[in-house]
Amino acid sequence: MPRLDPVEQADAPPEAQEYYQTDIERYGEVLNNTKLYAHSLPILKAVKDFAGGFAAATAIPLGQKALIRVRVARLNGCPF
């Protein structure tokens, strides 16, 4: 049983809708982490801004970014 239930798009506050829409445009659906972060709009904004900044950074090559994501997931015990 999850500790937090995801906030579905129909139940998300208006301020979160832009993030839901961006997920749909990029991935075809709203990501589960977006649905969970939507419980706290400041956290949702901070996480999405950080992820956007990381994606836009050019100092780290794209292939290395992928390796970083996999390594961090592995360190956290996430089956990435």
Side-chain angles (χ1 to χ4, degrees):
M1 173 187 277
R3 293 181 182 175
L4 286 176
D5 290 324
V7 178
E8 297 301 330
Q9 187 171 11
D11 301 323
E15 298 87 355
Q17 291 297 328
E18 70 180 90
Y19 299 106
Y20 280 65
Q21 197 57 41
T22 299
D23 279 4
I24 291 169
E25 291 167 7
R26 286 188 185 156
Y27 309 108
E29 63 184 354
V30 179
L31 300 178
N32 286 334
N33 62 355
T34 302
K35 293 177 184 180
L36 293 175
Y37 296 142
H39 283 281
S40 172
L41 293 173
I43 291 175
L44 175 62
K45 181 177 178 355
V47 168
K48 292 296 187 173
D49 287 349
F50 175 79
F54 184 75
T58 57
I60 302 171
L62 184 59
Q64 212 169 8
K65 287 181 188 180
L67 291 174
I68 291 168
R69 286 187 187 103
V70 171
R71 180 66 177 146
V72 168
R74 183 148 175 101
L75 288 171
N76 288 314
C78 175
F80 189 81

